[in-house]
Amino acid sequence: MEQEVATVGLDLAKNVFQVHAIAADGAVLIRRKLRRTEVIRFFTELPPCLVGMEACASAHHWARELIAIGHEVRLMPPAYVKRYVKRGKTDAADAEAICEAVTRPTMRFVAVKSVEQQAVLMLHKSRDLMVRQRTMLINALRGHLAEYGIVTSLGAGGVVASLKALHEEQDRFPAHARSALHGIAAQLRALTSEIDRLEAQILDWHRNDETSRRLGTIPGIGPITASAIAAAVPDPSLFRSGRQFAAWLGLTPRANSSGGKERLGGITKQGDGYLRRLLVVGSTAVMRMTRKNPARQPWMAGRLERKPTKIATVALANKTARIAWAVMTRKEVYAAARIRRSPSLDNRVMGCVGAA
């Protein structure tokens, strides 16, 4: 009796894909390459089976396509798959490693994102790119103006002053310098307008998404951060606890322990760097308000008394991530706890989530 395919490891690429398929008993049945145009036809001819892929570029698209034709698709972080590569770096070895990794009971998987969630994340990534480009233009404008003795203050006010000085004193610049500076100023205005347009769309999505609105009730999380978390984490149940969610964001200490001795370093900085940065920036704003009114954030005020500012800020970002996980999991809004006596941070976090 001919054996049926039970598990498939699919190594993604731009044009040439590698397939490694095994039966229920582990026997290798298929090991071949596929052109892009052959992928759907190949999987349509297979009986419904488990398909493993690395969570890389185009993975969510192919996952949705294969789910639509009846397969069970699981995405895995590439770093977790790499340890299953026996030797060498080939497409065939990668596909075999994916096929083996997807069957491991302790493997961690990535939730398949919908088209809408990917679209919102695209807004965020485009905005982030343009903000960095705007910063580059501002720095270039400041540097060039300083060559002619025009120095302005830092911040948004300094940018406005720089543009004003450029227009008021442009006659003192040589023609070539004037042309270059006006080009930078035009790009700066265009980028600012585009960033405002993207932020308006993100805010509109935030207002219409239930999970994002709930996340927005947490101190230190605004519409940008809330919508980014809601779109990037479609299934919070993949994380067993708030601590695991914080670890996924790279906000937990890096362990280097051995021989019964615990050695904890700085945060790992693994996982989604964009979400981590947003949480830290939001915690910085909360820290600023805590300095003005410590009674509003007693936990943060206590940290600031005992720890350096940056360490306290990252600690608050870690706590905020745990609260965010609890809010998404329980589907409730944030409500500050009246009493916090439990020594366990997880207990305190869960106590911070109240009924809607």
Side-chain angles (χ1 to χ4, degrees), residues 181-232:
L181 290 171
H182 278 297
I184 292 176
Q187 290 188 48
L188 185 56
R189 284 191 292 269
L191 266 179
T192 300
S193 176
E194 189 64 20
I195 290 171
D196 292 341
R197 186 183 69 84
L198 293 178
E199 288 180 348
Q201 293 184 40
I202 292 174
L203 180 59
D204 181 67
W205 189 87
H206 164 74
R207 289 171 175 169
N208 290 281
D209 185 79
E210 184 180 355
T211 301
S212 186
R213 289 199 308 272
R214 286 197 299 266
L215 289 170
T217 62
I218 304 172
I221 293 183
I224 298 294
T225 307
S227 58
I229 295 175

Side-chain angles (χ1 to χ4, degrees), residues 15-36:
N15 296 309
V16 181
F17 298 68
Q18 182 72 36
V19 169
H20 185 92
I22 62 175
D25 62 357
V28 178
L29 301 180
I30 302 173
R31 188 184 284 133
R32 58 170 293 190
K33 293 182 178 181
L34 295 175
R35 303 294 298 182
R36 172 177 288 273

Side-chain angles (χ1 to χ4, degrees), residues 25 30 40-41 48 56 58 82 87-88 119 122-123 157 161 163 173 188 200 223 226 238 262 287 289 299 322 324 335:
D25 62 357
I30 302 173
I40 296 299
R41 184 171 67 251
C56 55
S58 75
K82 186 177 181 180
R87 181 177 293 182
M122 195 174 296
L123 285 178
L163 293 172
F173 302 136
L188 185 56
L238 289 176
E262 290 190 3
M287 179 200 67
M289 299 303 297
W299 185 88
R322 298 186 182 201

Side-chain angles (χ1 to χ4, degrees), residues 50-54 72-76 102-104 109-110:
L50 173 63
V51 181
M53 293 186 289
E54 291 180 328
E72 179 186 358
V73 180
R74 294 180 184 176
L75 303 182
M76 300 166 289
V102 75
T103 61
R104 298 299 91 195
F109 300 103
V110 178

Side-chain angles (χ1 to χ4, degrees), residues 32 115 170 197 257 268:
R32 58 170 293 190
V115 174
Q170 59 180 331
R197 186 183 69 84
S257 305
T268 64

Side-chain angles (χ1 to χ4, degrees), residues 76-347:
M76 300 166 289
Y80 294 166
V81 176
K82 186 177 181 180
R83 66 193 66 174
Y84 291 93
V85 177
K86 294 182 175 62
R87 181 177 293 182
K89 174 66 178 75
T90 64
D91 292 344
D94 290 346
E96 182 180 358
I98 293 169
C99 189
E100 181 176 351
V102 75
T103 61
R104 298 299 91 195
T106 58
M107 177 55 63
R108 297 177 182 175
F109 300 103
V110 178
V112 178
K113 295 181 178 63
S114 66
V115 174
E116 178 64 23
Q117 288 167 334
Q118 281 198 296
V120 175
L121 289 176
M122 195 174 296
L123 285 178
H124 278 276
K125 293 175 182 178
S126 298
R127 172 189 172 275
D128 186 48
L129 172 63
M130 292 180 185
V131 167
R132 286 185 278 115
Q133 290 176 335
R134 182 174 63 180
T135 302
M136 294 170 61
L137 289 171
I138 290 172
N139 291 338
L141 181 64
R142 287 182 183 278
H144 292 324
L145 288 177
E147 295 295 332
Y148 291 95
I150 300 175
V151 179
T152 58
S153 61
L154 298 178
V159 177
V160 174
S162 297
L163 293 172
K164 183 178 180 181
L166 171 61
H167 290 285
E168 291 179 349
E169 304 183 35
Q170 59 180 331
D171 292 338
R172 57 181 286 195
F173 302 136
H176 293 317
R178 188 163 58 244
S179 175
L181 290 171
H182 278 297
I184 292 176
Q187 290 188 48
L188 185 56
R189 284 191 292 269
L191 266 179
T192 300
S193 176
E194 189 64 20
I195 290 171
D196 292 341
R197 186 183 69 84
L198 293 178
E199 288 180 348
Q201 293 184 40
I202 292 174
L203 180 59
D204 181 67
W205 189 87
H206 164 74
R207 289 171 175 169
N208 290 281
D209 185 79
E210 184 180 355
T211 301
S212 186
R213 289 199 308 272
R214 286 197 299 266
L215 289 170
T217 62
I218 304 172
I221 293 183
I224 298 294
T225 307
S227 58
I229 295 175
V233 189
D235 184 9
S237 64
L238 289 176
F239 304 97
R240 294 192 302 270
S241 64
R243 189 187 187 284
Q244 191 179 80
F245 178 60
W248 177 70
L249 292 172
L251 287 169
T252 51
R254 183 185 298 276
N256 186 22
S257 305
S258 179
K261 296 182 179 180
E262 290 190 3
R263 299 181 181 87
L264 301 179
I267 59 173
T268 64
K269 296 183 180 179
Q270 295 180 343
D272 196 318
Y274 177 65
L275 294 182
R276 182 174 63 250
R277 175 155 45 90
L278 289 177
L279 288 171
V280 172
V281 170
S283 298
T284 302
V286 174
M287 179 200 67
R288 192 180 302 116
M289 299 303 297
T290 302
R291 290 186 183 279
K292 296 180 180 178
N293 186 4
R296 295 186 60 183
Q297 292 286 340
W299 185 88
M300 186 62 177
R303 286 294 184 275
L304 286 172
E305 291 177 358
R306 300 189 298 272
K307 299 291 183 179
T309 300
K310 290 185 177 180
I311 293 178
T313 301
V314 174
L316 180 59
N318 180 298
K319 182 180 180 182
T320 304
R322 298 186 182 201
I323 294 174
W325 175 84
V327 165
M328 290 187 293
T329 303
R330 292 189 172 190
K331 297 183 179 180
E332 299 172 352
V333 299
Y334 170 84
R338 295 180 181 179
I339 300 176
R340 299 179 184 176
R341 294 179 179 175
S342 171
S344 168
L345 179 58
D346 279 326
N347 291 339

